[in-house]
Amino acid sequence: LEEYQYHNRSIRVDWVDPARDPARMEKLVNQYGLTEAQVVVFDIGGKSKIVRLADLAEVQVLEGRQEPVMTGFKGEQAFSSAIQGLLQGDTPVVYFLVGHGENRITDFDPLSGLSGIRDSILRDNLDVEELVLSGESKVPEDAAVLVVAGPASKMSMVEVEMIEEYLNHSGRVMIMLDALKETGLEDLLRRWGVALSEDIVVDPENTLKGSDVHIRRYNVHPISIRMQSITQFILPRSIEPLVTDQESGTAEDRPIVVPLFYTSEKSWSETQFESTTARFDEGTGDRQGPISLAVAIERGATQKMLDVQIEPSKMVVFGDSDFVSNGSMVGGNADLFMNALNWLLDREELMAIAPKPIEEVRLSISAKQLRRLFWINVAGVPLIAVVIGLVVWSRRRK
């Protein structure tokens, strides 16, 4: 908080001790509806946001410890998000599409549930809702981002048309596609410059279990350029820019497709699924790495007449949906998702603010060494002082 105040003179920090100032405490409780102490309240022009103590730390029970230990400090992310939320006015709504076997934000299952990433989204001052497109005539007007998280069945043509119509009007969409699933979005993505293949990407150089792929090689893009942690994908499929005639159409009509990261040179795109052993076979459709597993797409970012800025359409496509499931929130998985979401929302100032690791220094000594230190400090040091004092006293007497 002192750093925020130092860098911006418009920020003023007041500390209130409930024990020493009960009258002011009661006023604040009534004003902000507080139900607990140890909170930080951000107030801008009468609008407020409360950050709880639990929002500031990552806590884990480590091996050999009985009490939970703070392993990461999330204050910068929580405070920046609170300030951003108050400055932006209305809270953006992120819709998760359901009705086609997608992963659910209400599901706490470690393998398929997205309740953990839902909490991360809520902490970033965003609202989260589920959306059934089959009962709508279009994507809701208040949709800041539409997330399609791992559909297992094919969407209807009407639903796909609603998604593309939303995109064509400066919409923001995140799509997470699993391998060997036909979703009905294939033609839409092809029109937006995304090449999809019926494959599973294998990377023996960056795997622990054979089915996962660890990403260490990030591309230059606002979503991924500051990523420092390894991200883990489970049975991913390739998501790559479609090679087309880039000269056709006007500049604002052509989507700009940028890969976010790549697998290693020793990876490949496996297309022979009937084989029990995955191996690279030339002449069968297998492609040698490095292979892109995600792309960011932007279209229509141009300056129009009368100095009117037309908001671009944006889309992010991942070749896996399990990387943000409750049981996969490891490494940089959550950071990658939130970076992509904030890029879609034009909130670059909140991207890549990862929890700061807590460095713990512990002194490990034996009982014998502890007794030795005790006698040195309790007996040795005072004895030396006494001896020096006696020597000085003796010399002065002479």
Side-chain angles (χ1 to χ4, degrees), residues 12-234:
R12 183 168 59 90
V13 180
D14 288 333
W15 297 89
V16 179
D17 188 333
R20 296 186 176 183
D21 198 347
R24 191 176 182 194
M25 177 203 69
E26 185 175 354
K27 179 182 177 181
L28 293 174
V29 167
N30 295 329
Q31 181 178 354
Y32 298 110
L34 302 179
T35 59
E36 59 182 299
Q38 306 293 359
V39 297
V40 179
V41 181
F42 290 87
D43 188 305
I44 300 179
K47 297 187 299 181
S48 62
K49 172 70 176 178
I50 299 171
V51 178
R52 301 177 299 113
L53 179 64
D55 298 329
L56 301 182
E58 285 185 343
V59 180
Q60 296 180 4
V61 178
L62 302 179
E63 185 177 354
R65 297 286 193 91
Q66 294 182 350
E67 297 295 329
V69 177
M70 184 169 70
T71 58
F73 176 69
K74 301 187 293 185
E76 183 180 357
Q77 181 184 25
F79 294 163
S80 297
S81 178
I83 295 172
Q84 169 71 19
L86 293 174
L87 290 175
Q88 69 188 6
D90 296 335
T91 303
V93 182
V94 179
Y95 282 95
F96 278 73
L97 188 65
V98 296
H100 316 89
E102 293 91 349
N103 298 338
R104 304 284 296 270
I105 57 174
T106 55
D107 189 355
F108 291 86
D109 186 88
L111 298 179
S112 60
L114 299 181
S115 59
I117 203 66
R118 176 202 61 192
D119 294 341
S120 297
I121 296 172
L122 291 173
R123 283 196 297 268
D124 249 13
N125 286 293
L126 301 167
D127 284 339
V128 187
E129 295 185 20
E130 291 188 334
L131 173 65
V132 180
L133 267 183
S134 60
E136 304 287 340
S137 59
K138 62 179 180 178
V139 176
E141 294 285 350
D142 64 342
V145 176
L146 175 64
V147 180
V148 184
S153 59
K154 192 173 181 178
M155 299 180 193
S156 68
M157 185 67 68
V158 175
E159 291 173 309
V160 175
E161 289 175 354
M162 281 192 281
I163 294 175
E164 189 159 21
E165 180 70 13
Y166 168 70
L167 265 174
N168 289 333
H169 291 81
S170 303
R172 309 297 169 91
V173 176
M174 183 189 300
I175 300 176
M176 295 179 278
L177 300 175
D178 293 318
L180 310 182
K181 301 288 186 182
E182 185 179 3
T183 64
L185 295 168
E186 290 78 14
D187 290 340
L188 181 153
L189 292 174
R190 194 175 298 110
R191 288 191 292 271
W192 282 75
V194 181
L196 299 179
S197 300
E198 290 295 322
D199 62 3
I200 295 175
V201 178
V202 181
D203 192 351
E205 190 176 64
N206 293 298
T207 184
L208 290 178
K209 299 174 291 185
S211 60
D212 60 348
V213 175
H214 292 187
I215 303 300
R216 296 179 170 86
R217 183 178 172 183
Y218 297 99
N219 199 14
V220 179
H221 188 273
I223 294 175
S224 53
I225 190 172
R226 289 182 288 178
M227 287 291 298
Q228 297 179 350
S229 302
I230 296 173
T231 52
Q232 176 180 305
F233 283 66
I234 309 297

Side-chain angles (χ1 to χ4, degrees), residues 4-12:
Y4 277 84
Q5 193 173 17
Y6 173 79
H7 287 287
N8 192 327
R9 295 182 179 180
S10 298
I11 297 177
R12 183 168 59 90

